[in-house]
Amino acid sequence: ISIMKQIGMKPVVAKKECDGFILNRLQYAVLQESWRLVEDGVCDPQDIDTVMTSGLGLRWSFIGPFQTIHLNAPEGVTDYAERYSDGIVRVSKQFGEPRHMTGETLEKVREYVEGEVPMDKHKENLQWRDGVL
């Protein structure tokens, strides 16, 4: 852990065994719901990217989800849980089984992202992203 900290990383230690890294598990949860929303016709792929880059991503780039909910309720995290827990559970029950990333939805997502980031510029955009990070 100390080596990772020395090179500027912020490692976390999992307290018990689970399949996948913590970062990946959180990423998969967001990705799966994003996929469902597109596949079910709720929104288009670009809408998901807009919500993330202009909404959640702005907050989550400097504070995490728990600090976000703590600040989103007048009396903090307990107030947030009391106000929104039932609604969060109601919506979460609708998520259903994980979806495979295939078919028409994959084609729709591919068309969108390749329109924004053409494959002939993939390497340049990868370097730009890594530089921003």
Side-chain angles (χ1 to χ4, degrees):
I1 290 181
S2 64
I3 292 172
M4 294 179 81
K5 288 180 179 179
Q6 288 173 11
I7 61 171
M9 300 186 94
K10 294 188 175 189
V12 297
V13 177
K15 306 247 185 285
K16 62 187 258 184
E17 189 73 26
C18 68
D19 189 14
F21 295 112
I22 295 168
L23 181 144
N24 295 121
R25 291 177 64 93
L26 293 170
Q27 179 179 334
Y28 297 163
V30 170
L31 188 54
Q32 274 291 301
E33 181 55 14
S34 299
W35 199 268
R36 276 194 270 297
L37 290 169
V38 172
E39 191 165 81
D40 292 350
V42 174
C43 61
D44 292 321
Q46 58 268 33
D47 298 324
I48 297 293
D49 278 359
T50 298
V51 166
M52 293 305 291
T53 60
S54 298
L56 282 177
L58 293 175
R59 293 177 191 161
W60 288 3
S61 68
F62 60 95
I63 60 173
F66 293 130
Q67 289 181 41
T68 297
I69 68 172
H70 183 62
L71 294 173
N72 280 354
E75 301 298 322
V77 68
T78 301
D79 184 24
Y80 185 94
E82 290 170 357
R83 289 171 183 255
Y84 303 112
S85 184
D86 290 343
I88 292 169
V89 168
R90 186 188 74 250
V91 170
S92 298
K93 286 180 178 180
Q94 299 172 16
F95 290 170
E97 291 295 314
R99 309 238 178 130
H100 288 278
M101 299 168 70
T102 62
E104 291 179 27
T105 305
L106 177 57
E107 184 59 24
K108 188 181 286 189
V109 170
R110 186 196 62 75
E111 286 177 8
Y112 159 65
V113 295
E114 288 184 6
E116 296 293 313
V117 183
M119 287 307 297
D120 64 342
K121 304 240 188 247
H122 189 268
K123 187 174 182 177
E124 291 170 43
N125 282 283
L126 181 61
Q127 290 171 339
W128 167 81
R129 182 211 58 193
D130 290 349
V132 171
L133 291 173

